[in-house]
Amino acid sequence: MKNSELTKGFGILERVIVIGISLLVMYLLITAYQKFIDQQRVNTATENAANLIQKARTLTLSSRGGTSGLFYRIQFNVASNYIELRDQNGNSIEKLDLALTPVFIDFPTTSQFKKQAECATAIPPALTFDMLHFERLTGDAKIYTPPATWDSICATNNNSIIFRLKKNPTGDPSRTIKIFNTGSIQIL
């Protein structure tokens, strides 16, 4: 064999190495892109829920009639995976349905929302389970605390709502909405 025949073109080993490196780079890019998409889905769900909570508070504060004016509330349905804005008569104003998305609603184990979500499964479906409403004059956030009485209300004590991916229910990506008893919210 002459030296010119050895350096002419790529051999099978070089081709396999190039294909292997190309596949590895493609895998890394696809994985990074999938993580980005997952994070965006969680971010979008969190932002939409925060907007709905703020809308309930704003509508309550802007309603007319002093203490007899309308107040609005947020219903969290963990089982069906939706958040709904309702008026004081229970009429649906707006619904954020997460059932068809890869995102679900969760609550920290220390949260009062978690205790209420567990109680919600025992409540007959005909009853509305409202977890969060806003005071008419102050905008303070209050939580209904069943099953004692439907009129029993307590302060939120800085409760949180967590949005996570269904395929990774205990890990990242996740976002949290923290609701303060003043009615303000913070996205973490």
Side-chain angles (χ1 to χ4, degrees):
M1 271 187 170
K2 293 183 181 177
N3 194 16
S4 63
E5 289 179 1
L6 290 176
T7 59
K8 190 178 183 183
F10 293 107
I12 189 82
L13 183 60
E14 288 89 1
R15 290 180 187 162
V16 168
I17 291 173
V18 168
I19 290 172
I21 291 172
S22 299
L23 289 174
L24 178 65
V25 168
M26 283 178 42
Y27 171 77
L28 294 174
L29 288 174
I30 290 171
T31 304
Y33 182 71
Q34 185 61 46
K35 286 181 183 179
F36 171 76
I37 294 297
D38 290 345
Q39 184 65 53
Q40 289 306 107
R41 289 177 175 158
V42 171
N43 289 347
T44 300
T46 305
E47 294 289 333
N48 289 341
N51 289 338
L52 198 61
I53 293 168
Q54 284 299 96
K55 184 175 184 177
R57 184 171 189 261
T58 302
L59 286 171
T60 298
L61 288 173
S62 67
S63 67
R64 296 183 181 164
T67 56
S68 63
L70 281 175
F71 69 86
Y72 295 83
R73 51 188 157 201
I74 298 292
Q75 176 182 346
F76 299 96
N77 189 319
V78 179
S80 299
N81 206 28
Y82 70 81
I83 302 170
E84 190 168 20
L85 170 62
R86 294 176 173 257
D87 66 15
Q88 69 187 20
N89 299 321
N91 299 319
S92 179
I93 306 297
E94 190 174 336
K95 184 175 180 179
L96 174 60
D97 193 352
L98 299 173
L100 300 176
T101 68
V103 178
F104 75 97
I105 310 164
D106 194 13
F107 304 103
T109 54
T110 58
S111 173
Q112 189 171 349
F113 282 127
K114 182 74 166 186
K115 295 174 193 143
Q116 301 209 194
E118 291 164 0
C119 294
T121 58
I123 295 171
L127 295 175
T128 302
F129 184 70
D130 298 311
M131 297 180 80
L132 176 66
H133 89 273
F134 297 94
E135 289 293 306
R136 168 63 189 97
L137 295 177
T138 62
D140 289 350
K142 304 288 182 183
I143 298 175
Y144 283 90
T145 54
T149 64
W150 288 101
D151 296 327
S152 172
I153 299 174
C154 61
T156 61
N157 295 324
N158 304 337
N159 282 290
S160 300
I161 307 162
I162 301 173
F163 293 83
R164 301 177 195 258
L165 282 176
K166 292 175 186 171
K167 68 181 180 183
N168 191 11
T170 58
D172 286 333
S174 68
R175 295 288 304 269
T176 302
I177 298 176
K178 194 170 193 175
I179 303 171
F180 297 94
N181 58 3
T182 60
S184 62
I185 64 173
Q186 178 183 15
I187 300 176
L188 307 172

